[in-house]
Amino acid sequence: MLVLFETPAGFALFKVLDEGKLNKVEDLWKEFQSTESARKVVKLKNFSKFENTAEALTAATLLIESKPSKGLRKFLRQECEGETLAVADSKLGNAIKEKLKIECVHNNAVMELMRGLRAQLSELVTGLGVQDLAPMSLGLSHSLSRFRLKFSPDKVDTMIIQAIGLLDDLDKELNTYAMRVREWYGWHFPELAKIVQDNIQYAKVVKLMGNRTNAANLDFSEILPEEVEAELKEAAVISMGTEISDHDMLNIKALCDQVISLSEYRGQLFDYLRSRMNAIAPNLTALVGELVGARLIAHAGSLLNLAKQPGSTVQILGAEKALFRALKTKHQTPKYGLIFHASLVGQAAPKLKGKISRSLAAKAALSIRIDALGENQDGSVGIENRAKLETRLRQLEGRALGRLAGSTKGKPKIEPYDKERKKDAQGLLTAAKTYNPAADSTIGQQQTQKVAEADQSLKQHDQKQKGDKKRKHEDMEQVAMSEEGIQEPEKKKKKKKEGSKREEATPQEEKTVEPEKKKRKKEEKKNEHGQQEEATPYQEETVEPEKKKRKKKAKNTQEGQEDATSNAFEHEEAGESEKKKKKKKRDLRRNSGTKSLSVPLQCRRPP
């Protein structure tokens, strides 16, 4: 079994003396603690030295890509006939097996053996010291890094990344410089800021005009149109700005020169970026444009990294903060990132921007993969995808218009048949209805509803009282006709006292109580007869029915109080007119309560 080991000086081929020790992988490192024990395990068979650094560089670059160089293939054919070869890279072993028909081995035991050889390399390889090996490895690493930066296909898009970054910085600087020119020259000619809106034109006008008094004698036709020029000259005559010195004007003109030169350089840089994008990513440029495509490549790091991303990632590329904020707060995730500035997304309606950005990101992902990994560099795929997206946008807009028209299929909505419409004319047979402004306010409606509810409650209450009066009137007549007297309901305490007194009273006391009661009745009757004789004949006719009514009302006061309290809240809301009615009824009830004292004892219940 042979072992292939790569060094900065060349390729070393070792022969394993004791293959049984490879079975014990955990104890294999002990065999390489000293040079004597290491020589018992492996032995140097041959060493192929590099002639120069160029050969070492080519061999190293091919080994990184898992490919054997010409010198390595020649070396292995001479030394590895009928032998198994242990390699550190499995892909390299497969390539050697395919091309040279040599069996290769790669496992944990081989990797442990490689570590031991690296530790004792200077002792196992004669003529290769540590002092010679260190500068060789350093020189090879430097040359390898230079070669990869110079010739790597992954680093071709670095110029695009730098150009788009510089273009964004130039836009920021131009904006700040132009605003400084406006603010500085505005003290001398403030009206010029409203007349000339463009920053570059403003700087050119200030550089040409200088002091505003020179505006009448100058020609601005190369910079401004005729209407704006005439307005500028009129404003310069009546301007309210302050006077400035010549030294200040020189500094303002120098700043204007900087603004103009930066704008010209920005135009040149944009042309360079357009040419590079058309050369490296033509399909992506045809879909989203030069600026958006360059920003996507710069954000991903390279064109190859962008090609590895799915369409959903391309869609929200540049909106990472909004995405993670939405996931954290459990809100809706963003629908677009840098792709929002593409022309197709800008043409879409606000409701359709999400759908168009999703379909555009899917097509852009395909175009990026063709640009990064494909061979065709004509941009035909991007043009076809753009045409498809434009038709898709028209379909979505047509559906939206169809929904607004009243049908999902885009057909107009069919109006129902109206009997009141004439056959020939469009007018109605019935008279036109007039607008009622009183229906707008709801305050009067609420008040009328409350008054109606209060009236209904009063009617129901009066009906209940009339029914109760009839029933009680019948009861009173039965009581008057009966010979036995029934005591009026008194309080419980009085009943208990009277019951206790009656039990204690003797038969003699009962006899004395009866004549006393008869005397009291006679005295009360005399008093009542005297009052009746003093009254007029008209009063005598009216007293008897009024007294009966007062009796009924006095007896119904206890039951009527409960109904009155339940409807008290409704009576208060009814209005002032209802309150007056209540007051009158209360006065009548009070008067009836006071007048009931003068009712004759014949109509009262016996004690």
Side-chain angles (χ1 to χ4, degrees):
M1 184 178 181
L2 301 177
V3 181
L4 179 63
F5 192 83
E6 304 92 3
T7 65
F11 295 104
L13 196 63
F14 293 93
K15 186 175 182 179
V16 181
L17 300 176
D18 190 0
E19 295 182 4
K21 292 182 179 180
L22 295 177
N23 296 328
K24 299 178 181 180
V25 181
E26 296 178 355
D27 299 333
L28 189 60
W29 63 275
K30 296 179 182 178
E31 302 294 334
F32 290 93
Q33 287 182 352
S34 62
T35 56
E36 295 177 357
S37 60
R39 285 174 182 173
K40 293 178 182 179
V41 178
V42 293
K43 182 183 178 180
L44 180 65
K45 184 178 181 181
N46 199 350
F47 187 83
S48 177
K49 188 178 180 180
F50 297 133
E51 293 180 359
N52 50 25
T53 55
E55 186 180 355
L57 182 61
T58 55
T61 52
L62 289 172
L63 284 173
I64 290 169
E65 296 176 359
S66 301
K67 295 179 182 179
S69 61
K70 291 182 180 180
L72 179 60
R73 282 181 284 178
K74 186 178 180 180
F75 177 65
L76 292 176
R77 282 171 185 165
Q78 292 176 358
E79 302 293 336
C80 296
E81 292 181 359
E83 295 283 344
T84 58
L85 185 65
V87 294
D89 189 4
S90 60
K91 293 181 180 179
L92 179 63
N94 293 329
I96 292 169
K97 187 176 181 180
E98 289 177 0
K99 292 181 179 181
L100 303 177
K101 306 299 180 181
I102 297 171
E103 293 184 1
C104 297
V105 179
H106 175 76
N107 51 29
N108 293 331
V110 172
M111 295 304 296
E112 194 68 27
L113 186 62
M114 293 288 181
R115 292 189 187 96
L117 290 172
R118 193 177 293 109
Q120 301 293 335
L121 184 62
S122 60
E123 299 294 334
L124 294 173
V125 180
T126 57
L128 187 63
V130 180
Q131 297 177 356
D132 299 331
L133 194 61
M136 285 180 186
S137 61
L138 184 62
L140 183 60
S141 63
H142 283 301
S143 59
L144 184 63
S145 61
R146 290 193 199 98
F147 180 79
R148 284 185 63 81
L149 287 173
K150 188 176 181 180
F151 297 104
S152 175
D154 298 335
K155 295 296 179 181
V156 176
D157 50 9
T158 52
M159 299 304 166
I160 292 173
I161 296 170
Q162 298 299 326
I164 190 63
L166 180 59
L167 195 67
D168 293 336
D169 293 339
L170 281 175
D171 289 335
K172 292 178 183 177
E173 294 296 328
L174 270 172
N175 192 15
T176 53
Y177 282 12
M179 294 305 293
R180 183 60 60 190
V181 170
R182 285 177 178 273
E183 187 177 355
W184 199 349
Y185 193 74
W187 290 97
H188 178 61
F189 193 4
E191 292 83 4
L192 183 62
K194 293 182 179 179
I195 297 169
V196 182
Q197 300 292 333
D198 189 18
N199 293 329
I200 309 303
Q201 289 182 355
Y202 188 91
K204 289 180 180 179
V205 168
V206 171
K207 183 182 177 182
L208 180 62
M209 181 170 57
N211 200 334
R212 68 172 183 267
T213 56
N214 301 327
N217 301 324
L218 293 174
D219 184 14
F220 298 98
S221 59
E222 296 180 357
I223 303 170
L224 300 174
E226 295 180 358
E227 297 176 357
V228 179
E229 183 181 358
E231 188 179 358
L232 187 149
K233 290 180 179 180
E234 290 177 1
V237 176
I238 58 172
S239 178
M240 300 296 291
T242 60
E243 298 293 335
I244 56 175
S245 62
D246 296 335
H247 185 65
D248 295 334
M249 186 57 68
L250 289 173
N251 289 319
I252 294 171
K253 287 183 178 181
L255 183 58
C256 292
D257 292 333
Q258 291 291 327
V259 172
I260 295 167
S261 62
L262 283 175
S263 64
E264 291 175 354
Y265 176 64
R266 187 196 178 282
Q268 296 175 3
L269 187 64
F270 181 72
D271 293 336
Y272 165 74
L273 181 64
R274 180 184 296 169
S275 64
R276 294 302 299 166
M277 283 296 296
N278 288 323
I280 293 171
N283 295 299
L284 181 63
T285 305
L287 265 180
V288 298
E290 297 85 4
L291 293 176
V292 178
R295 287 193 178 96
L296 287 171
I297 294 170
H299 196 82
S302 67
L303 183 63
L304 191 61
N305 290 339
L306 186 62
K308 295 175 183 178
Q309 305 295 336
S312 59
T313 304
V314 175
Q315 181 181 355
I316 60 170
L317 204 66
E320 288 83 4
K321 288 184 179 179
L323 175 64
F324 292 119
R325 192 190 307 116
L327 293 174
K328 188 176 180 181
T329 57
K330 295 181 181 179
H331 290 294
Q332 291 183 354
T333 55
K335 296 179 181 179
Y336 29 70
L338 292 171
I339 207 169
F340 176 77
H341 300 286
S343 59
L344 284 170
V345 180
Q347 292 173 8
K351 292 182 179 180
L352 303 176
K353 287 185 186 295
K355 292 181 179 180
I356 290 297
S357 63
R358 183 170 62 252
S359 56
L360 178 61
K363 298 295 183 183
L366 296 175
S367 301
I368 291 162
R369 289 165 192 167
I370 293 169
D371 292 334
L373 306 171
E375 295 179 357
N376 296 328
Q377 297 293 329
D378 54 353
S380 59
V381 177
I383 295 169
E384 291 177 2
N385 290 333
R386 186 178 180 87
K388 291 178 182 178
L389 289 172
E390 287 176 353
T391 55
R392 170 69 175 163
L393 180 59
R394 290 194 204 98
Q395 288 176 359
L396 292 173
E397 289 176 351
R399 288 180 185 176
L401 292 172
R403 290 193 187 97
L404 291 173
S407 176
T408 56
K409 295 182 180 179
K411 296 179 181 179
K413 191 175 182 180
I414 299 170
E415 296 181 355
Y417 176 73
D418 192 359
K419 293 180 181 179
E420 295 179 352
R421 194 176 294 275
K422 293 180 180 180
K423 292 182 180 179
D424 298 330
Q426 294 182 356
L428 296 175
L429 294 170
T430 57
K433 295 181 181 179
T434 58
Y435 178 70
N436 185 13
D440 292 340
S441 63
T442 58
I443 298 170
Q445 294 178 2
Q446 293 177 358
Q447 289 180 357
T448 54
Q449 288 177 0
K450 290 180 180 179
V451 171
E453 290 176 358
D455 293 335
Q456 290 179 0
S457 61
L458 285 171
K459 290 179 181 178
Q460 291 177 359
H461 182 64
D462 293 336
Q463 290 176 0
K464 287 181 181 179
Q465 286 183 352
K466 288 178 181 179
D468 294 335
K469 287 178 182 178
K470 289 180 180 179
R471 292 173 187 173
K472 290 179 180 179
H473 181 68
E474 292 175 357
D475 294 336
M476 288 295 295
E477 289 179 353
Q478 292 177 2
V479 170
M481 295 296 291
S482 62
E483 295 178 355
E484 296 179 359
I486 301 169
Q487 288 185 349
E488 293 181 355
E490 294 179 357
K491 293 181 181 180
K492 292 181 180 180
K493 292 182 181 181
K494 292 182 179 180
K495 286 181 179 180
K496 290 179 181 179
K497 290 180 182 180
E498 289 176 359
S500 60
K501 288 179 180 179
R502 287 175 184 174
E503 290 177 357
E504 292 177 357
T506 58
Q508 293 178 358
E509 291 176 351
E510 291 179 356
K511 292 179 181 179
T512 56
V513 169
E514 291 178 357
E516 289 178 357
K517 290 181 180 179
K518 292 179 180 180
K519 291 179 181 180
R520 291 177 184 173
K521 288 181 181 180
K522 290 178 181 179
E523 290 175 356
E524 289 176 356
K525 288 179 181 179
K526 289 179 181 180
N527 293 327
E528 289 175 359
H529 285 296
Q531 291 176 0
Q532 289 177 0
E533 290 175 358
E534 292 175 358
T536 59
Y538 178 76
Q539 289 177 351
E540 289 177 358
E541 292 177 359
T542 58
V543 166
E544 290 179 357
E546 288 179 359
K547 287 179 181 180
K548 290 180 181 179
K549 290 180 181 180
R550 289 169 188 171
K551 280 182 184 180
K552 293 175 184 179
K553 289 181 180 180
K555 290 176 182 179
N556 293 330
T557 50
Q558 293 180 356
E559 295 179 356
Q561 285 177 358
E562 295 178 357
D563 295 330
T565 54
S566 64
N567 296 321
F569 182 75
E570 296 178 355
H571 291 297
E572 290 176 359
E573 293 180 351
E576 294 180 358
S577 61
E578 293 177 355
K579 289 181 180 179
K580 291 178 181 180
K581 292 179 182 179
K582 286 182 181 181
K583 288 180 181 180
K584 290 179 180 179
K585 288 182 180 181
R586 288 174 185 172
D587 295 332
L588 291 171
R589 287 175 185 175
R590 290 174 184 173
N591 295 328
S592 64
T594 54
K595 290 179 181 180
S596 63
L597 297 173
S598 62
V599 177
L601 292 173
Q602 291 177 359
C603 297
R604 288 190 180 182
R605 292 178 183 178

